[in-house]
Amino acid sequence: MKYVSTRGTAPALDFEGVTLAGLASDGGLYVPETWPQFSHDEISAMAGLPYAGLAQRIMQPFVGDCLTPERLGVLTAKAYGKFSHAAVTPLRQLDERHTLLELFHGPTLAFKDVALQLLGLLFEEFLARRHDHLTIVGATSGDTGSAAIDAVAGSAKVDIFMLHPHGRVSDVQRRQMTSVLAPNVYNIAIDGSFDDAQATVKRMFNDAAVTGRFGIAAVNSINWARLMAQVVYYFAAALQLGAPARKVAFAVPTGNFGDVFAGYVAAQMGLPIERLIVATNINDILHRALSSGDYSAATVTPTAAPSMDIQVSSNFERLLFDAAGGDGAQITQQMAEFDATRVLRLTNTQREAMATLFTSVRAEPADMIAAQRWAYEACGEVIDPHTAIGLHAARVTAGLAPDVPVVTLATAHPAKFGDAVEYAIGVRPALPARIADLIEREERYDRLAGTYEAVRDYVTARATPRHQIA
Ligand SMILES: *Cc1c(COP(=O)(O)O)cnc(C)c1O
């Protein structure tokens, strides 16, 4: 399997190359040259496979010759063995029509574990072959930081430097990062906002004096391997609900468009998906893009669902590319215009292609709270604010065939957002037993001024230089 850039000019890479690369050198994102296909019979034959086995079957065509089926199976068994539920991503039925897909049984209680636990193992595998070393530098406003740290803690081949805005992440989120005391983990609280932290990271990726000495890598969802791992749970859920004989719809709480793009990939591979419902909060750039063709950035308004407080959704470029028939020159031009004006108009071809599978819903704060109350009062389920936005969208979407089950992706454990949950339903969810002692654990982090130089000097004094240029 070869991967090409959405901007059409960066060199094609294999799976190992894109896993270690992050962004393509022309500024684009890597996508598979073609979508692997599974027939109706091949999908039927997947029913009943354990999750790790299903993951191996779905991912093998993307991995190609970079890992044997046996080796990939070893890695998926190891990654998903760390989840606290035997089904890894269990379904929970709410009523005749609606079901939750619980994606939060990994070590850090959000769906990002499903991809990052595997990505950590893929890094180890490929770096060992190359006798190379990676330095991960990231900025987090919450869930990505803890999931990435857990995935690579203790690795001899990876150092991780995770920046968070001092005083601006929740107590649980901070402690999930800072209580990891492995020597390759560096938590940095910077004075400033998440945007300041993000700008510092971007500058470091473009600083040749740093990238020349260290193999600097990204772990956000521009990394193809993350999206690939997320395709699996769409198959797992649909198979349990009667696919491929029966179609299923999914409602996805969306921020950077990674999770729902994985659903799009599942559909391209042959999974019969009736509809993908993109759920946004009041930061609704994706709802505007899908409903009226207007992808224009506005100011971010903080909400109770912070992982969806995004106004530029990096992975949307992958859909724009596919919906433009893979025309990299057109995407280069559209993205240049967006960078200059913060406005991008979808072409009619793009809009029509998207409308065949996607719909979107924007949830107001009151809708989110009402969905949390309905889940609790009518179904006895305590759900987090992000999941609630997905469930609201699932419940208001009209026009689906009456017998189609609607699956809402439950992206975080409610205890991760205890204050917001208590505010909505009057009940405070308890932390699961395996992290119940989080509040007593020792924390370690360094606080730095929010300047580029301070962070650069900190990283370059501690990171391990790469052994070999890949
Ligand atoms: C990251 C995240 C999202 C958004 O997912 P994207 O792939 O960025 O669209 C939604 N909910 C939670 C809890 C998250 O952590």
Side-chain angles (χ1 to χ4, degrees):
M1 172 66 75
K2 282 284 172 206
Y3 291 83
V4 296
S5 166
T6 51
R7 308 233 178 139
T9 56
L13 295 177
D14 66 4
F15 178 72
E16 177 177 332
V18 292
T19 300
L20 299 175
L23 213 59
S25 58
D26 56 8
L29 282 76
Y30 277 108
V31 285
E33 203 166 37
T34 55
W35 297 118
Q37 300 290 314
F38 290 121
S39 68
H40 193 281
D41 287 350
E42 285 169 324
I43 295 173
S44 299
M46 295 174 190
L49 282 176
Y51 191 90
L54 179 67
Q56 185 275 323
R57 289 280 292 108
I58 305 287
M59 294 195 268
Q60 191 68 52
F62 293 112
V63 169
D65 299 334
C66 292
L67 291 169
T68 63
E70 294 69 35
R71 189 65 196 149
L72 180 58
V74 168
L75 298 184
T76 59
K78 195 169 169 193
Y80 300 118
K82 285 178 78 182
F83 280 61
S84 67
H85 196 292
V88 182
T89 60
L91 287 175
R92 204 155 174 115
Q93 190 150 2
L94 294 176
D95 65 8
E96 320 74 70
R97 167 151 254 201
H98 295 282
T99 304
L100 295 177
L101 173 59
E102 293 185 346
L103 301 175
F104 51 70
H105 293 282
T108 72
L109 311 181
F111 85 90
K112 294 187 170 73
D113 287 322
V114 179
L116 283 163
Q117 285 295 321
L118 183 74
L119 186 63
L121 298 177
L122 291 171
F123 280 156
E124 288 283 308
E125 183 84 9
F126 296 146
L127 291 169
R129 282 183 197 173
R130 297 177 174 215
H131 305 290
D132 208 345
H133 190 281
L134 273 189
T135 301
I136 294 168
V137 184
T140 187
S141 56
D143 297 335
T144 298
S146 55
I149 287 171
D150 189 278
V152 303
S155 167
K157 299 183 185 70
V158 179
D159 297 317
I160 184 164
F161 294 84
M162 191 55 66
L163 279 61
H164 70 266
H166 179 73
R168 300 200 202 182
V169 298
S170 83
D171 219 42
V172 170
Q173 287 177 321
R174 187 194 69 248
R175 286 175 180 276
Q176 281 185 309
M177 296 190 279
T178 58
S179 64
V180 179
L181 304 179
N184 67 323
V185 173
Y186 301 90
N187 276 291
I188 304 172
I190 68 152
D191 293 325
S193 67
F194 169 70
D195 288 340
D196 298 331
Q198 183 75 46
T200 295
V201 170
K202 284 202 178 133
R203 197 163 152 193
M204 202 170 305
F205 285 133
N206 290 315
D207 183 340
V210 178
T211 56
R213 269 182 74 206
F214 304 96
I216 304 280
V219 285
N220 55 14
S221 58
I222 60 166
N223 190 303
W224 166 257
R226 274 186 64 176
L227 301 193
M228 173 191 74
Q230 291 169 217
V231 175
V232 177
Y233 47 69
Y234 287 90
F235 275 87
L239 283 165
Q240 286 178 68
L241 291 168
R246 194 180 183 208
K247 283 191 159 190
V248 178
F250 291 91
V252 188
T254 298
N256 226 346
F257 208 74
D259 209 2
V260 73
F261 189 77
Y264 172 81
V265 174
Q268 304 317 302
M269 295 173 80
L271 187 68
I273 294 182
E274 164 91 5
R275 210 121 267 276
L276 290 170
I277 304 162
V278 174
T280 77
N281 62 22
I282 55 176
N283 298 295
D284 64 349
I285 181 169
L286 288 167
H287 173 58
R288 283 182 282 116
L290 291 166
S291 58
S292 68
D294 165 31
Y295 186 84
S296 58
T299 333
V300 174
T301 308
T303 73
S307 298
M308 298 164 67
D309 292 344
I310 282 177
Q311 55 155 322
V312 178
S313 294
S314 346
N315 282 294
F316 195 58
E317 181 170 338
R318 288 184 158 116
L319 183 63
L320 286 170
F321 176 75
D322 233 36
D327 183 347
Q330 184 190 319
I331 302 305
T332 304
Q333 190 228 314
Q334 281 182 307
M335 294 312 296
E337 188 161 327
F338 180 72
D339 285 342
T341 63
R342 313 304 279 163
V343 177
L344 187 158
R345 301 289 318 171
L346 274 60
T347 64
N348 284 340
T349 312
Q350 284 171 323
R351 288 187 65 182
E352 280 159 24
M354 292 177 192
T356 61
L357 192 57
F358 290 94
T359 44
S360 65
V361 174
R362 161 187 155 132
E364 305 300 321
D367 298 326
M368 179 189 76
I369 289 176
Q372 284 176 286
R373 291 198 180 140
W374 178 77
Y376 186 58
E377 285 158 15
C379 319
E381 286 295 319
V382 177
I383 60 172
D384 103 288
H386 304 81
T387 306
I389 289 167
L391 183 59
H392 167 75
R395 295 184 73 222
V396 301
T397 294
L400 300 171
D403 58 338
V404 166
V406 186
V407 177
T408 298
L409 274 58
T411 49
H413 191 288
K416 229 174 157 166
F417 301 94
D419 290 342
V421 172
E422 188 171 7
Y423 178 78
I425 63 167
V427 173
R428 195 168 183 87
L431 282 174
R434 70 204 133 103
I435 63 159
D437 67 338
L438 191 64
I439 241 72
E440 285 128 49
R441 291 185 197 166
E442 180 188 347
E443 287 190 82
R444 197 179 66 204
Y445 62 95
D446 289 310
R447 186 167 167 187
L448 295 183
T451 66
Y452 177 66
E453 290 71 23
V455 176
R456 179 201 58 200
D457 293 349
Y458 182 97
V459 171
T460 54
R462 290 165 181 80
T464 311
R466 63 191 319 178
H467 306 155
Q468 170 197 311
I469 304 299

PDB file of all heavy atoms in Angstrom, residues 40-70:
ATOM      1  N   HIS A  40     -19.064  -8.384   0.631  1.00  0.00           N
ATOM      2  CA  HIS A  40     -20.128  -8.732   1.567  1.00  0.00           C
ATOM      3  C   HIS A  40     -19.759 -10.025   2.316  1.00  0.00           C
ATOM      4  O   HIS A  40     -19.858 -10.090   3.550  1.00  0.00           O
ATOM      5  CB  HIS A  40     -21.415  -8.910   0.748  1.00  0.00           C
ATOM      6  CG  HIS A  40     -22.671  -8.979   1.551  1.00  0.00           C
ATOM      7  ND1 HIS A  40     -23.061 -10.125   2.204  1.00  0.00           N
ATOM      8  CD2 HIS A  40     -23.627  -8.053   1.821  1.00  0.00           C
ATOM      9  CE1 HIS A  40     -24.215  -9.907   2.832  1.00  0.00           C
ATOM     10  NE2 HIS A  40     -24.565  -8.645   2.619  1.00  0.00           N
ATOM     11  N   ASP A  41     -19.302 -11.027   1.600  1.00  0.00           N
ATOM     12  CA  ASP A  41     -18.963 -12.310   2.249  1.00  0.00           C
ATOM     13  C   ASP A  41     -17.772 -12.168   3.187  1.00  0.00           C
ATOM     14  O   ASP A  41     -17.742 -12.775   4.264  1.00  0.00           O
ATOM     15  CB  ASP A  41     -18.643 -13.375   1.194  1.00  0.00           C
ATOM     16  CG  ASP A  41     -19.905 -13.832   0.474  1.00  0.00           C
ATOM     17  OD1 ASP A  41     -21.016 -13.468   0.933  1.00  0.00           O
ATOM     18  OD2 ASP A  41     -19.771 -14.536  -0.553  1.00  0.00           O
ATOM     19  N   GLU A  42     -16.790 -11.389   2.776  1.00  0.00           N
ATOM     20  CA  GLU A  42     -15.622 -11.191   3.662  1.00  0.00           C
ATOM     21  C   GLU A  42     -16.034 -10.481   4.952  1.00  0.00           C
ATOM     22  O   GLU A  42     -15.546 -10.812   6.035  1.00  0.00           O
ATOM     23  CB  GLU A  42     -14.530 -10.385   2.939  1.00  0.00           C
ATOM     24  CG  GLU A  42     -13.769 -11.198   1.898  1.00  0.00           C
ATOM     25  CD  GLU A  42     -12.870 -10.333   1.008  1.00  0.00           C
ATOM     26  OE1 GLU A  42     -13.242  -9.184   0.672  1.00  0.00           O
ATOM     27  OE2 GLU A  42     -11.793 -10.822   0.643  1.00  0.00           O
ATOM     28  N   ILE A  43     -16.942  -9.521   4.831  1.00  0.00           N
ATOM     29  CA  ILE A  43     -17.393  -8.819   6.040  1.00  0.00           C
ATOM     30  C   ILE A  43     -18.212  -9.766   6.919  1.00  0.00           C
ATOM     31  O   ILE A  43     -18.008  -9.827   8.137  1.00  0.00           O
ATOM     32  CB  ILE A  43     -18.189  -7.545   5.675  1.00  0.00           C
ATOM     33  CG1 ILE A  43     -17.257  -6.548   4.958  1.00  0.00           C
ATOM     34  CG2 ILE A  43     -18.792  -6.895   6.919  1.00  0.00           C
ATOM     35  CD1 ILE A  43     -17.947  -5.317   4.401  1.00  0.00           C
ATOM     36  N   SER A  44     -19.106 -10.558   6.308  1.00  0.00           N
ATOM     37  CA  SER A  44     -19.891 -11.531   7.084  1.00  0.00           C
ATOM     38  C   SER A  44     -18.979 -12.447   7.882  1.00  0.00           C
ATOM     39  O   SER A  44     -19.265 -12.790   9.028  1.00  0.00           O
ATOM     40  CB  SER A  44     -20.747 -12.414   6.166  1.00  0.00           C
ATOM     41  OG  SER A  44     -21.649 -11.639   5.455  1.00  0.00           O
ATOM     42  N   ALA A  45     -17.874 -12.844   7.263  1.00  0.00           N
ATOM     43  CA  ALA A  45     -16.972 -13.805   7.906  1.00  0.00           C
ATOM     44  C   ALA A  45     -16.232 -13.194   9.099  1.00  0.00           C
ATOM     45  O   ALA A  45     -15.618 -13.909   9.884  1.00  0.00           O
ATOM     46  CB  ALA A  45     -15.970 -14.341   6.875  1.00  0.00           C
ATOM     47  N   MET A  46     -16.288 -11.875   9.244  1.00  0.00           N
ATOM     48  CA  MET A  46     -15.607 -11.228  10.383  1.00  0.00           C
ATOM     49  C   MET A  46     -16.440 -11.285  11.662  1.00  0.00           C
ATOM     50  O   MET A  46     -15.940 -10.996  12.741  1.00  0.00           O
ATOM     51  CB  MET A  46     -15.323  -9.754  10.066  1.00  0.00           C
ATOM     52  CG  MET A  46     -14.352  -9.536   8.926  1.00  0.00           C
ATOM     53  SD  MET A  46     -14.260  -7.750   8.559  1.00  0.00           S
ATOM     54  CE  MET A  46     -13.317  -7.797   7.038  1.00  0.00           C
ATOM     55  N   ALA A  47     -17.738 -11.611  11.529  1.00  0.00           N
ATOM     56  CA  ALA A  47     -18.607 -11.608  12.712  1.00  0.00           C
ATOM     57  C   ALA A  47     -18.050 -12.576  13.750  1.00  0.00           C
ATOM     58  O   ALA A  47     -17.624 -13.683  13.426  1.00  0.00           O
ATOM     59  CB  ALA A  47     -20.028 -12.008  12.318  1.00  0.00           C
ATOM     60  N   GLY A  48     -18.026 -12.143  14.994  1.00  0.00           N
ATOM     61  CA  GLY A  48     -17.599 -13.025  16.068  1.00  0.00           C
ATOM     62  C   GLY A  48     -16.102 -13.034  16.342  1.00  0.00           C
ATOM     63  O   GLY A  48     -15.654 -13.617  17.325  1.00  0.00           O
ATOM     64  N   LEU A  49     -15.310 -12.373  15.483  1.00  0.00           N
ATOM     65  CA  LEU A  49     -13.867 -12.304  15.779  1.00  0.00           C
ATOM     66  C   LEU A  49     -13.643 -11.483  17.053  1.00  0.00           C
ATOM     67  O   LEU A  49     -14.325 -10.489  17.268  1.00  0.00           O
ATOM     68  CB  LEU A  49     -13.118 -11.598  14.640  1.00  0.00           C
ATOM     69  CG  LEU A  49     -12.816 -12.362  13.357  1.00  0.00           C
ATOM     70  CD1 LEU A  49     -12.163 -11.399  12.350  1.00  0.00           C
ATOM     71  CD2 LEU A  49     -11.899 -13.544  13.623  1.00  0.00           C
ATOM     72  N   PRO A  50     -12.684 -11.882  17.895  1.00  0.00           N
ATOM     73  CA  PRO A  50     -12.348 -10.990  19.010  1.00  0.00           C
ATOM     74  C   PRO A  50     -11.790  -9.668  18.472  1.00  0.00           C
ATOM     75  O   PRO A  50     -11.291  -9.618  17.341  1.00  0.00           O
ATOM     76  CB  PRO A  50     -11.270 -11.762  19.789  1.00  0.00           C
ATOM     77  CG  PRO A  50     -10.885 -12.924  18.955  1.00  0.00           C
ATOM     78  CD  PRO A  50     -11.869 -13.082  17.825  1.00  0.00           C
ATOM     79  N   TYR A  51     -11.876  -8.602  19.274  1.00  0.00           N
ATOM     80  CA  TYR A  51     -11.536  -7.266  18.771  1.00  0.00           C
ATOM     81  C   TYR A  51     -10.144  -7.212  18.154  1.00  0.00           C
ATOM     82  O   TYR A  51      -9.942  -6.658  17.066  1.00  0.00           O
ATOM     83  CB  TYR A  51     -11.669  -6.220  19.895  1.00  0.00           C
ATOM     84  CG  TYR A  51     -11.581  -4.811  19.370  1.00  0.00           C
ATOM     85  CD1 TYR A  51     -12.723  -4.129  18.969  1.00  0.00           C
ATOM     86  CD2 TYR A  51     -10.349  -4.168  19.232  1.00  0.00           C
ATOM     87  CE1 TYR A  51     -12.648  -2.843  18.452  1.00  0.00           C
ATOM     88  CE2 TYR A  51     -10.262  -2.882  18.717  1.00  0.00           C
ATOM     89  CZ  TYR A  51     -11.425  -2.219  18.330  1.00  0.00           C
ATOM     90  OH  TYR A  51     -11.340  -0.955  17.810  1.00  0.00           O
ATOM     91  N   ALA A  52      -9.146  -7.785  18.858  1.00  0.00           N
ATOM     92  CA  ALA A  52      -7.765  -7.697  18.351  1.00  0.00           C
ATOM     93  C   ALA A  52      -7.620  -8.421  17.021  1.00  0.00           C
ATOM     94  O   ALA A  52      -6.881  -7.978  16.131  1.00  0.00           O
ATOM     95  CB  ALA A  52      -6.790  -8.258  19.382  1.00  0.00           C
ATOM     96  N   GLY A  53      -8.352  -9.520  16.846  1.00  0.00           N
ATOM     97  CA  GLY A  53      -8.313 -10.259  15.585  1.00  0.00           C
ATOM     98  C   GLY A  53      -8.979  -9.475  14.474  1.00  0.00           C
ATOM     99  O   GLY A  53      -8.495  -9.430  13.333  1.00  0.00           O
ATOM    100  N   LEU A  54     -10.106  -8.851  14.793  1.00  0.00           N
ATOM    101  CA  LEU A  54     -10.793  -8.010  13.814  1.00  0.00           C
ATOM    102  C   LEU A  54      -9.881  -6.848  13.398  1.00  0.00           C
ATOM    103  O   LEU A  54      -9.776  -6.504  12.215  1.00  0.00           O
ATOM    104  CB  LEU A  54     -12.097  -7.475  14.422  1.00  0.00           C
ATOM    105  CG  LEU A  54     -12.926  -6.558  13.532  1.00  0.00           C
ATOM    106  CD1 LEU A  54     -13.497  -7.326  12.335  1.00  0.00           C
ATOM    107  CD2 LEU A  54     -14.060  -5.900  14.328  1.00  0.00           C
ATOM    108  N   ALA A  55      -9.203  -6.259  14.389  1.00  0.00           N
ATOM    109  CA  ALA A  55      -8.299  -5.137  14.096  1.00  0.00           C
ATOM    110  C   ALA A  55      -7.215  -5.578  13.117  1.00  0.00           C
ATOM    111  O   ALA A  55      -6.890  -4.856  12.163  1.00  0.00           O
ATOM    112  CB  ALA A  55      -7.678  -4.621  15.396  1.00  0.00           C
ATOM    113  N   GLN A  56      -6.677  -6.763  13.314  1.00  0.00           N
ATOM    114  CA  GLN A  56      -5.640  -7.262  12.405  1.00  0.00           C
ATOM    115  C   GLN A  56      -6.200  -7.406  10.982  1.00  0.00           C
ATOM    116  O   GLN A  56      -5.565  -6.991  10.011  1.00  0.00           O
ATOM    117  CB  GLN A  56      -5.087  -8.591  12.947  1.00  0.00           C
ATOM    118  CG  GLN A  56      -3.919  -9.162  12.162  1.00  0.00           C
ATOM    119  CD  GLN A  56      -4.376  -9.993  10.976  1.00  0.00           C
ATOM    120  OE1 GLN A  56      -5.382 -10.706  11.061  1.00  0.00           O
ATOM    121  NE2 GLN A  56      -3.650  -9.896   9.879  1.00  0.00           N
ATOM    122  N   ARG A  57      -7.420  -7.960  10.858  1.00  0.00           N
ATOM    123  CA  ARG A  57      -8.020  -8.167   9.538  1.00  0.00           C
ATOM    124  C   ARG A  57      -8.269  -6.826   8.824  1.00  0.00           C
ATOM    125  O   ARG A  57      -8.004  -6.676   7.643  1.00  0.00           O
ATOM    126  CB  ARG A  57      -9.371  -8.901   9.665  1.00  0.00           C
ATOM    127  CG  ARG A  57      -9.282 -10.343  10.061  1.00  0.00           C
ATOM    128  CD  ARG A  57      -8.935 -11.241   8.880  1.00  0.00           C
ATOM    129  NE  ARG A  57      -9.994 -11.333   7.877  1.00  0.00           N
ATOM    130  CZ  ARG A  57      -9.948 -10.777   6.667  1.00  0.00           C
ATOM    131  NH1 ARG A  57      -8.911 -10.085   6.295  1.00  0.00           N
ATOM    132  NH2 ARG A  57     -10.941 -10.932   5.822  1.00  0.00           N
ATOM    133  N   ILE A  58      -8.802  -5.858   9.551  1.00  0.00           N
ATOM    134  CA  ILE A  58      -9.157  -4.572   8.924  1.00  0.00           C
ATOM    135  C   ILE A  58      -7.893  -3.786   8.545  1.00  0.00           C
ATOM    136  O   ILE A  58      -7.846  -3.113   7.512  1.00  0.00           O
ATOM    137  CB  ILE A  58     -10.005  -3.704   9.899  1.00  0.00           C
ATOM    138  CG1 ILE A  58     -11.239  -4.452  10.386  1.00  0.00           C
ATOM    139  CG2 ILE A  58     -10.373  -2.349   9.269  1.00  0.00           C
ATOM    140  CD1 ILE A  58     -12.329  -4.621   9.394  1.00  0.00           C
ATOM    141  N   MET A  59      -6.865  -3.859   9.400  1.00  0.00           N
ATOM    142  CA  MET A  59      -5.694  -2.994   9.184  1.00  0.00           C
ATOM    143  C   MET A  59      -4.679  -3.593   8.213  1.00  0.00           C
ATOM    144  O   MET A  59      -3.892  -2.848   7.627  1.00  0.00           O
ATOM    145  CB  MET A  59      -5.025  -2.704  10.534  1.00  0.00           C
ATOM    146  CG  MET A  59      -5.919  -1.886  11.433  1.00  0.00           C
ATOM    147  SD  MET A  59      -5.051  -1.156  12.824  1.00  0.00           S
ATOM    148  CE  MET A  59      -5.264  -2.377  14.051  1.00  0.00           C
ATOM    149  N   GLN A  60      -4.687  -4.915   8.042  1.00  0.00           N
ATOM    150  CA  GLN A  60      -3.633  -5.538   7.227  1.00  0.00           C
ATOM    151  C   GLN A  60      -3.474  -4.907   5.842  1.00  0.00           C
ATOM    152  O   GLN A  60      -2.347  -4.625   5.419  1.00  0.00           O
ATOM    153  CB  GLN A  60      -3.880  -7.051   7.104  1.00  0.00           C
ATOM    154  CG  GLN A  60      -2.693  -7.814   6.509  1.00  0.00           C
ATOM    155  CD  GLN A  60      -1.495  -7.810   7.444  1.00  0.00           C
ATOM    156  OE1 GLN A  60      -1.615  -8.162   8.605  1.00  0.00           O
ATOM    157  NE2 GLN A  60      -0.333  -7.383   6.951  1.00  0.00           N
ATOM    158  N   PRO A  61      -4.588  -4.652   5.094  1.00  0.00           N
ATOM    159  CA  PRO A  61      -4.394  -4.049   3.768  1.00  0.00           C
ATOM    160  C   PRO A  61      -3.721  -2.671   3.812  1.00  0.00           C
ATOM    161  O   PRO A  61      -3.017  -2.303   2.869  1.00  0.00           O
ATOM    162  CB  PRO A  61      -5.816  -3.921   3.213  1.00  0.00           C
ATOM    163  CG  PRO A  61      -6.711  -4.661   4.118  1.00  0.00           C
ATOM    164  CD  PRO A  61      -5.998  -4.918   5.397  1.00  0.00           C
ATOM    165  N   PHE A  62      -3.903  -1.930   4.893  1.00  0.00           N
ATOM    166  CA  PHE A  62      -3.258  -0.618   5.012  1.00  0.00           C
ATOM    167  C   PHE A  62      -1.777  -0.740   5.348  1.00  0.00           C
ATOM    168  O   PHE A  62      -0.974   0.107   4.983  1.00  0.00           O
ATOM    169  CB  PHE A  62      -3.939   0.211   6.102  1.00  0.00           C
ATOM    170  CG  PHE A  62      -5.346   0.623   5.779  1.00  0.00           C
ATOM    171  CD1 PHE A  62      -6.419   0.103   6.490  1.00  0.00           C
ATOM    172  CD2 PHE A  62      -5.598   1.535   4.769  1.00  0.00           C
ATOM    173  CE1 PHE A  62      -7.711   0.481   6.197  1.00  0.00           C
ATOM    174  CE2 PHE A  62      -6.891   1.925   4.470  1.00  0.00           C
ATOM    175  CZ  PHE A  62      -7.954   1.396   5.184  1.00  0.00           C
ATOM    176  N   VAL A  63      -1.456  -1.801   6.087  1.00  0.00           N
ATOM    177  CA  VAL A  63      -0.086  -1.997   6.563  1.00  0.00           C
ATOM    178  C   VAL A  63       0.781  -2.586   5.454  1.00  0.00           C
ATOM    179  O   VAL A  63       1.985  -2.316   5.375  1.00  0.00           O
ATOM    180  CB  VAL A  63      -0.117  -2.913   7.811  1.00  0.00           C
ATOM    181  CG1 VAL A  63       1.264  -3.374   8.195  1.00  0.00           C
ATOM    182  CG2 VAL A  63      -0.797  -2.183   8.971  1.00  0.00           C
ATOM    183  N   GLY A  64       0.136  -3.370   4.577  1.00  0.00           N
ATOM    184  CA  GLY A  64       0.851  -3.963   3.441  1.00  0.00           C
ATOM    185  C   GLY A  64       1.982  -4.853   3.898  1.00  0.00           C
ATOM    186  O   GLY A  64       1.828  -5.643   4.832  1.00  0.00           O
ATOM    187  N   ASP A  65       3.148  -4.699   3.260  1.00  0.00           N
ATOM    188  CA  ASP A  65       4.287  -5.558   3.574  1.00  0.00           C
ATOM    189  C   ASP A  65       5.073  -5.080   4.793  1.00  0.00           C
ATOM    190  O   ASP A  65       6.087  -5.675   5.140  1.00  0.00           O
ATOM    191  CB  ASP A  65       5.271  -5.576   2.390  1.00  0.00           C
ATOM    192  CG  ASP A  65       4.617  -6.121   1.147  1.00  0.00           C
ATOM    193  OD1 ASP A  65       3.653  -6.909   1.291  1.00  0.00           O
ATOM    194  OD2 ASP A  65       5.058  -5.760   0.043  1.00  0.00           O
ATOM    195  N   CYS A  66       4.651  -3.985   5.400  1.00  0.00           N
ATOM    196  CA  CYS A  66       5.453  -3.433   6.499  1.00  0.00           C
ATOM    197  C   CYS A  66       5.399  -4.291   7.763  1.00  0.00           C
ATOM    198  O   CYS A  66       6.307  -4.214   8.595  1.00  0.00           O
ATOM    199  CB  CYS A  66       5.019  -1.996   6.799  1.00  0.00           C
ATOM    200  SG  CYS A  66       5.449  -0.879   5.449  1.00  0.00           S
ATOM    201  N   LEU A  67       4.340  -5.091   7.919  1.00  0.00           N
ATOM    202  CA  LEU A  67       4.260  -6.037   9.044  1.00  0.00           C
ATOM    203  C   LEU A  67       3.585  -7.302   8.531  1.00  0.00           C
ATOM    204  O   LEU A  67       2.606  -7.216   7.782  1.00  0.00           O
ATOM    205  CB  LEU A  67       3.403  -5.468  10.177  1.00  0.00           C
ATOM    206  CG  LEU A  67       3.911  -4.272  10.980  1.00  0.00           C
ATOM    207  CD1 LEU A  67       2.783  -3.717  11.853  1.00  0.00           C
ATOM    208  CD2 LEU A  67       5.105  -4.655  11.841  1.00  0.00           C
ATOM    209  N   THR A  68       4.067  -8.477   8.946  1.00  0.00           N
ATOM    210  CA  THR A  68       3.373  -9.713   8.581  1.00  0.00           C
ATOM    211  C   THR A  68       2.048  -9.771   9.354  1.00  0.00           C
ATOM    212  O   THR A  68       1.916  -9.140  10.409  1.00  0.00           O
ATOM    213  CB  THR A  68       4.200 -10.950   8.978  1.00  0.00           C
ATOM    214  OG1 THR A  68       4.330 -10.960  10.415  1.00  0.00           O
ATOM    215  CG2 THR A  68       5.566 -10.942   8.317  1.00  0.00           C
ATOM    216  N   PRO A  69       1.070 -10.552   8.858  1.00  0.00           N
ATOM    217  CA  PRO A  69      -0.190 -10.705   9.600  1.00  0.00           C
ATOM    218  C   PRO A  69       0.062 -11.190  11.039  1.00  0.00           C
ATOM    219  O   PRO A  69      -0.603 -10.723  11.966  1.00  0.00           O
ATOM    220  CB  PRO A  69      -0.958 -11.739   8.791  1.00  0.00           C
ATOM    221  CG  PRO A  69      -0.417 -11.617   7.403  1.00  0.00           C
ATOM    222  CD  PRO A  69       1.027 -11.234   7.545  1.00  0.00           C
ATOM    223  N   GLU A  70       1.030 -12.082  11.211  1.00  0.00           N
ATOM    224  CA  GLU A  70       1.313 -12.605  12.556  1.00  0.00           C
ATOM    225  C   GLU A  70       1.806 -11.478  13.465  1.00  0.00           C
ATOM    226  O   GLU A  70       1.380 -11.340  14.595  1.00  0.00           O
ATOM    227  CB  GLU A  70       2.376 -13.717  12.508  1.00  0.00           C
ATOM    228  CG  GLU A  70       1.941 -14.990  11.789  1.00  0.00           C
ATOM    229  CD  GLU A  70       1.782 -14.796  10.275  1.00  0.00           C
ATOM    230  OE1 GLU A  70       2.554 -14.012   9.664  1.00  0.00           O
ATOM    231  OE2 GLU A  70       0.843 -15.403   9.701  1.00  0.00           O
TER     232      GLU A  70
END
